Amino acid sequence: MTSTTPAPLLQAATATFESLALLVARPSAGGAHARVPTPHAVSLAFAGPVRGRLVLRVSDDVRTALAGNMLGVDAPAPALQADALGELANVVCGNLLPALAGPAAVFRLGAPEPLAAGAPGSRGPRAGERRVSDAALDVEGGRAELAVYLDAACAFAGPA
Amino acid sequence: MPLNVLVVDDSAVMRAMISRVVRLTGLPLGDLREAADGAEGLAAVRAHWIDLVLLDVNMPVMDGETMLRELRADPDTAGLPVIVVSTERSETRVAALEELGVAFVHKPFAPEELRATILRITGVPDDQHHAGTAAPGGDCDF
């Protein structure tokens, strides 16, 4: 298998938004919602049977709500908002990889890496990568976008 | 006797979430300490009396599996109750960790799931579950 359907990514993302941050996420219907800016991005590298990274981008309101709901506060500090975004990406990735590579596959996850707007790899593959799955979500009026990139030489062999 | 609990996770938000659940368990709680990686966690265990560790796996500096192996290799801490709270889903890695005598809670977790695991591994009675069920005159739980 050289590419994956978005279903496992959608499933991991929607379940994580709901369980971790009490936010209802649905596949984006497009339209005006697709133009909501998503300036906050984080990248999470993984290595195991294949190497790659997951990128999560969210709108302002989603980033604030994530940290606010996880901490039970109204106005979380920016550093905590960034931390919450990274942790959400970590949980999505940890739950996604077994669905893609099989339950026995062992992966190491890197630390979440904030991506500045316009940074290489923030909105598309870096050199030597290819996108294998993506998803756009409506998160209670805000927006989240996720993408999984693999090193170009890697391919999922499918669940074990 | 109050229990001293250590939460080890590289995410400050996750440490706060886990600590909040610990406070809501009804445990007789003593000190609730936090560490941001396995090395800090080990230092805390060696510097303070700790009764329960809630441990992430994927962390910088020292990961949770390494910290756990260090704990198990030290006779003073070999029997310390540890609950791994992690995104780790690999059956291979979960089995390896469980062989080291830990309970496992997967992220994202429901607060009640974490609470139930804490009560089970510490042997603390579930007062909320028992509330209102004791016979008049009172049975005593020890």
Side-chain angles (χ1 to χ4, degrees):
Chain A
M1 184 186 299
T2 56
S3 64
T4 63
T5 70
L9 180 59
L10 271 177
Q11 190 171 25
T14 55
T16 302
F17 269 103
E18 195 162 325
S19 301
L20 196 64
L22 307 175
L23 291 171
V24 177
R26 297 281 180 265
S28 173
H33 180 255
R35 293 191 291 275
V36 173
T38 54
H40 307 291
V42 64
S43 173
L44 189 84
F46 54 84
V50 293
R51 255 193 335 271
R53 65 191 175 102
L54 177 139
V55 173
L56 168 64
R57 309 184 57 83
V58 298
S59 54
D60 283 329
D61 50 352
V62 170
R63 189 173 86 141
T64 305
L66 270 178
N69 287 4
M70 289 168 75
L71 291 167
V73 301
D74 289 332
L80 292 175
Q81 293 183 31
D83 184 293
L85 186 62
E87 186 61 15
L88 189 113
N90 180 49
V91 176
V92 171
C93 197
N95 285 279
L96 173 68
L97 290 172
L100 297 181
V106 176
F107 284 92
R108 297 278 173 180
L109 304 185
E113 171 194 351
L115 288 174
S122 66
R123 288 203 176 270
R126 292 170 173 158
E129 288 182 339
R130 62 193 173 83
R131 179 160 47 199
V132 295
S133 186
D134 56 27
L137 301 173
D138 177 352
V139 186
E140 301 194 2
R143 183 172 174 84
E145 299 162 345
L146 300 100
V148 177
Y149 302 97
L150 292 186
D151 285 7
C154 296
F156 281 115
Chain B
M1 177 180 293
L3 296 175
N4 297 327
V5 177
L6 173 65
V7 179
V8 187
D9 198 302
D10 56 326
S11 163
V13 171
M14 186 54 66
R15 291 197 302 273
M17 287 182 71
I18 293 171
S19 294
R20 188 169 53 178
V21 174
V22 170
R23 289 191 192 94
L24 294 174
T25 54
L27 277 174
L29 199 57
D31 293 331
L32 178 55
R33 299 181 184 277
E34 296 185 2
D37 58 59
E40 279 188 19
L42 268 183
V45 168
R46 288 168 179 161
H48 307 282
W49 184 270
I50 301 293
D51 299 295
L52 171 67
V53 177
L54 299 162
L55 180 63
D56 188 18
V57 174
N58 285 299
M59 294 182 289
V61 184
M62 179 189 286
D63 66 27
E65 184 172 351
T66 304
M67 176 182 166
L68 183 57
R69 290 187 186 283
E70 295 259 354
L71 289 174
R72 293 300 185 245
D74 182 341
D76 287 341
T77 57
L80 181 59
V82 175
I83 300 173
V84 171
V85 185
S86 171
T87 61
E88 185 61 64
R89 294 272 178 183
S90 161
E91 291 174 352
T92 308
R93 210 159 174 216
V94 169
L97 289 165
E98 286 179 337
E99 281 181 10
L100 295 169
V102 300
F104 218 102
V105 172
H106 293 283
K107 297 176 185 173
F109 55 82
E112 180 54 33
E113 178 190 7
L114 181 57
R115 176 179 178 276
T117 305
I118 291 171
L119 294 177
R120 176 170 56 80
I121 201 166
T122 57
V124 172
D126 187 344
D127 287 341
Q128 290 182 21
H129 179 73
H130 289 171
T133 62
D139 292 332
C140 295
D141 283 332
F142 289 98

